[in-house]
Amino acid sequence: MAETLRSGNVTTKLRRIAELARMHGDRVFSSVSHVIDLDWMLEAYRRTRKDGATGVDGQTSAEYAKNLKANLEAVVKKIREGTYRPPPVRRVYIPKANGKRRPIGIPTFEDKLVQRAVAMLLEAIYEQEFHPFSYGFRPGRSAHQALKELQKLPTYWQRCWVVDADIQSFFDTIDHTQLRKLLDQRVRDGVIRRLVDLWLNAGVLEEGRLHRPEFGTPQGGVISPLLANIYLHHVLDMWFRRAVWPRMKRRAIFVRYADDFVMLFERQDDAQRVMAVLGKRFDRFGLKLHPEKTRLMSFNSPGLGLERAQRQRSFDFLGFTHFWARSRQGRWVVKQRTAKDRFSRALVRIKEQCRRMRHEPVALQHRLLCAMLRGHGNYYGITGNGDSLSRLHHETTRLWGRSLARRSGRRFAWQRFVLLLERFPLPLPPTTWSVSPSEPAS
């Protein structure tokens, strides 16, 4: 295989690796790292974001690119000689919806390139065995596709039970020993495995102190989402496909995006059986279900008339609340709207933005607010979510008007602000995709 992969460009090599992985599902790749050459690293550079935050060395992508070829040749040599050592990641925090902060690790730009190069190789192998119900951090797949799948399927189940689960601190609790065992099943190339081990043990630099966690992968690294997908592919996806699904008495559906997932069952006893063993399955691999965020709930169609309170039941997934409602034709369908915590978070960001830019020119304020609304609409602008989008537009308009009034020290006058809006209108985000109520379940 080595001689076959040495010739041709990066695309040809990736296609050949993928073909070998697809044709031989049980094949172990023990010698594949030699494909990482200068051309491979140039492709990794092309695929890497150039506007990200800097790592512990403070080097930007522009500075690295000044001597790009020499830098890449040097790093390829280090990889092949086994002398490459990734520096620690820089720890930063971003706010979460519950008021807590999520830790993010920021590698150096060069380490991002090396991680991207290895991720390209591993992705070519594992994409051939990943299941279609996994949507997170995979080429050609998105959260919108997962939401679309989740919207259309329950609509045709009059009786439906939902396992709404949450993995507690998933990225921080991945067991390194278990991950190595899972990687052994497909990849035993010494160079690749050494690099993965180095990243797992590179450590985190925070406030001048170096920490080396015994578990987890730092969120923010290029390789982390792929390693997480490999881990959950074995822990959850393969288990559901091979052990759970064949034992169900009626239909069952599984949708996963990274570490967020839901399971849908047509029978209550099927759902209860899976719920009873799900925690035990995770315990085997060092993972825990969040006790307060994991539940089994009835999601029957209100059209059955079994329970009046059913109309108020809902569950959240990927920032959307899923609930039953009537379509324009009067049928009961599953709809999606922006989850309350995500809506509140968006309003807080807009309010803070209005406060920060209060004394900036109106044209600049308008441009920044339009960018925020369009960014929100790019994700939440789906069919059926118009009320939430309209409400956000209304609240943004109100917050901006009051912010401008405070700047001038005058009492807020809506009529005067309406005249300003004629010159600087705030756009309503457009819808991005839709699911027809008549679309059959697959």
Side-chain angles (χ1 to χ4, degrees):
M1 185 183 70
E3 294 299 328
T4 304
L5 293 174
R6 283 198 177 97
S7 61
N9 57 25
V10 175
T11 302
T12 302
K13 293 177 182 178
L14 286 171
R15 188 182 299 115
R16 179 58 178 156
I17 294 171
E19 181 182 353
L20 289 170
R22 182 172 55 254
M23 293 175 59
H24 309 282
D26 56 348
R27 180 169 192 158
V28 178
F29 289 80
S30 58
S31 178
V32 72
S33 60
H34 56 270
V35 301
I36 302 179
D37 54 14
L38 179 59
D39 288 340
W40 192 281
M41 291 303 302
L42 285 169
E43 177 64 17
Y45 174 81
R46 187 187 69 82
R47 298 188 184 190
T48 302
R49 284 184 56 184
K50 313 300 188 297
D51 57 349
T54 59
V56 294
D57 61 354
Q59 187 179 45
T60 65
S61 59
E63 293 169 344
Y64 192 87
K66 290 179 180 178
N67 198 15
L68 181 61
K69 184 177 180 180
N71 287 333
L72 295 182
E73 287 176 339
V75 78
V76 168
K77 183 179 179 181
K78 291 179 183 177
I79 291 173
R80 292 183 171 178
E81 293 178 350
T83 59
Y84 178 78
R85 294 293 182 272
V89 297
R90 182 168 65 88
R91 171 65 58 82
V92 298
Y93 292 89
I94 59 174
K96 297 175 65 176
N98 57 8
K100 298 181 180 181
R101 298 188 303 168
R102 184 190 304 276
I104 298 293
I106 303 178
T108 63
F109 183 74
E110 182 173 81
D111 198 44
K112 291 179 183 178
L113 296 181
V114 180
Q115 290 190 32
R116 177 62 65 190
V118 174
M120 288 163 51
L121 196 157
L122 293 178
E123 191 176 81
I125 297 173
Y126 280 97
E127 273 298 316
Q128 314 313 311
E129 61 180 80
F130 283 165
H131 292 295
F133 47 72
S134 169
Y135 293 90
F137 304 108
R138 295 181 58 190
R141 289 175 169 267
S142 67
H144 278 181
Q145 291 175 333
L147 290 165
K148 181 185 291 188
E149 194 72 9
L150 194 58
Q151 183 189 39
K152 70 180 183 180
L153 287 168
T155 304
Y156 296 91
W157 295 1
Q158 295 299 301
R159 288 177 170 81
C160 183
W161 288 78
V162 175
V163 173
D164 181 15
D166 182 86
I167 306 176
Q168 193 167 10
S169 303
F170 169 68
F171 284 91
D172 297 329
T173 57
I174 293 178
D175 189 303
H176 293 176
T177 302
Q178 292 282 3
L179 177 60
R180 293 186 184 100
K181 291 180 180 178
L182 298 177
L183 287 170
D184 279 342
Q185 298 179 24
R186 287 295 260 168
V187 180
R188 296 180 190 170
D189 183 289
V191 174
I192 301 301
R193 295 300 300 276
R194 189 181 304 114
L195 286 172
V196 171
D197 284 342
L198 288 171
W199 286 318
L200 292 176
N201 297 288
V204 177
L205 190 65
E206 183 177 5
E207 297 180 351
R209 298 180 180 179
L210 180 63
H211 308 277
R212 296 188 185 276
E214 297 180 4
F215 298 90
T217 61
Q219 297 185 63
V222 177
I223 197 70
S224 293
L226 179 56
L227 294 179
N229 264 342
I230 294 173
Y231 202 78
L232 285 179
H233 169 70
H234 289 275
V235 175
L236 198 55
D237 299 0
M238 290 178 62
W239 173 71
F240 183 87
R241 182 67 179 176
R242 297 179 181 180
V244 174
W245 193 59
R247 291 178 170 85
M248 296 295 98
K249 298 177 182 178
R250 294 297 298 272
R251 290 176 292 184
I253 295 296
F254 177 49
V255 178
R256 180 173 70 83
Y257 187 92
D259 59 326
D260 294 327
F261 68 93
V262 291
M263 296 178 177
L264 311 176
F265 301 90
E266 195 170 7
R267 285 179 61 104
Q268 179 181 359
D269 54 349
D270 284 341
Q272 290 172 334
R273 287 162 55 203
V274 173
M275 188 69 175
V277 298
L278 186 60
K280 299 176 183 178
R281 174 68 180 179
F282 280 170
D283 286 342
R284 286 181 53 190
F285 295 89
L287 302 177
K288 298 289 184 182
L289 289 173
H290 198 294
E292 298 177 359
K293 298 181 180 179
T294 302
R295 59 175 177 160
L296 171 62
M297 59 170 289
S298 169
F299 201 58
N300 293 332
S301 169
L304 293 175
L306 297 177
E307 43 194 340
R308 296 176 62 86
Q310 178 64 48
R311 303 188 185 194
Q312 306 302 323
R313 296 191 182 183
S314 62
F315 65 93
D316 290 349
F317 183 66
L318 297 181
F320 286 87
T321 298
H322 297 70
F323 63 101
W324 285 98
R326 289 193 183 274
S327 67
R328 293 182 179 180
Q329 292 77 25
R331 291 176 296 181
W332 287 105
V333 297
V334 174
K335 292 189 176 183
Q336 298 160 323
R337 62 168 175 255
T338 308
K340 289 183 179 180
D341 60 336
R342 301 298 181 91
F343 187 89
S344 299
R345 191 193 310 176
L347 277 185
V348 169
R349 286 199 299 263
I350 291 172
K351 186 176 182 179
E352 287 297 313
Q353 181 68 21
C354 288
R355 183 186 60 80
R356 287 194 300 267
M357 66 183 185
R358 182 175 299 162
H359 299 288
E360 300 293 338
V362 173
L364 175 61
Q365 295 188 35
H366 174 256
R367 185 163 63 251
L368 293 174
L369 287 177
C370 286
M372 294 185 74
L373 286 175
R374 291 192 183 101
H376 183 90
N378 286 341
Y379 184 75
Y380 292 99
I382 66 174
T383 298
N385 197 32
D387 289 345
S388 294
L389 297 176
S390 297
R391 183 183 166 204
L392 183 70
H393 179 272
H394 171 77
E395 293 294 333
T396 303
T397 303
R398 183 182 63 84
L399 289 170
W400 190 30
R402 293 191 178 279
S403 176
L404 292 175
R406 290 190 183 97
R407 179 175 77 166
S408 62
R410 301 164 67 180
R411 184 178 179 182
F412 177 70
W414 177 255
Q415 292 181 345
R416 187 167 59 246
F417 182 55
V418 168
L419 296 177
L420 178 69
L421 289 175
E422 292 180 357
R423 295 174 53 203
F424 301 101
L426 294 175
L428 267 174
T431 57
T432 56
W433 53 263
S434 62
V435 178
S436 170
S438 60
E439 186 174 359
S442 58

